[in-house]
Amino acid sequence: MKDEKILNKMNISLPALSVNESVCRSVVGVFCAQLNPTIEELADIKCAVSEAVTNCIVHAYKNNGGVIYISTVLYNDRSVKIEIRDKGCGIADVKQALQPLFTTDPDGERSGMGFSVMETFTDKLSVSSRLGKGTKVTLKKRLS
């Protein structure tokens, strides 16, 4: 994707409110529709975005508000790169957080499968984070 030509790019930011999870999922899905993905590919993208945005709301900002930043890039090789970023609390140990069933909210209704879901529905997942500064989740997917 790095050497491919950018066809289009979108940047949005929304308050980290649970009602905006569906907005983020839908807006990214509509933007990606320019590449004429299959229904399954579109569902995969929307599911991964939903998980990343939910992580921002629930974990980064602890349901106390903040801003979710989303950058979506479409490439001429029919690939998509989506970055979901926050300026929340950050992740102390990214490697541990990427492990299935790990959660920082064991008493809540969280299963610790968010990153696993994102990984399942994309071709590549990367996560970078700094405590007190925030987290960036990058999702990459090549369409058929």
Side-chain angles (χ1 to χ4, degrees):
M1 291 182 207
K2 190 184 284 185
D3 297 327
E4 297 302 322
K5 181 182 175 194
I6 293 175
L7 293 177
N8 205 352
K9 184 174 184 176
M10 172 186 71
N11 293 301
I12 62 170
S13 60
L14 290 167
L17 304 171
S18 60
V19 296
N20 284 335
E21 177 274 324
S22 63
V23 174
C24 294
R25 178 181 67 224
S26 297
V27 169
V28 171
V30 168
F31 187 76
C32 290
Q34 296 172 67
L35 293 178
N36 197 25
T38 66
I39 291 171
E40 293 82 10
E41 290 168 334
L42 194 55
D44 289 352
I45 290 167
K46 290 169 69 175
C47 186
V49 168
S50 178
E51 287 293 330
V53 169
T54 298
N55 274 1
C56 289
I57 296 165
V58 172
H59 299 292
Y61 295 121
K62 312 262 191 243
N63 289 310
N64 292 320
V67 178
I68 300 167
Y69 304 90
I70 301 177
S71 171
T72 307
V73 183
L74 307 178
Y75 296 92
N76 69 344
D77 68 347
R78 297 187 41 76
S79 61
V80 179
K81 179 175 79 171
I82 304 161
E83 292 180 349
I84 294 121
R85 188 173 51 84
D86 64 66
K87 294 182 180 179
C89 64
I91 300 170
D93 185 341
V94 171
K95 187 175 179 180
Q96 182 183 33
L98 290 169
Q99 295 302 307
L101 304 177
F102 175 81
T103 181
T104 58
D105 186 19
D107 297 326
E109 58 183 60
R110 303 293 154 201
S111 66
M113 294 301 291
F115 287 129
S116 295
V117 169
M118 289 178 237
E119 199 168 34
T120 298
F121 290 111
T122 60
D123 296 321
K124 184 173 182 185
L125 164 73
S126 60
V127 180
S128 61
S129 189
R130 290 180 47 203
L131 282 177
K133 301 288 184 183
T135 300
K136 179 173 74 171
V137 172
T138 304
L139 310 165
K140 294 181 181 178
K141 185 163 184 77
R142 186 175 303 263
L143 306 176
S144 59

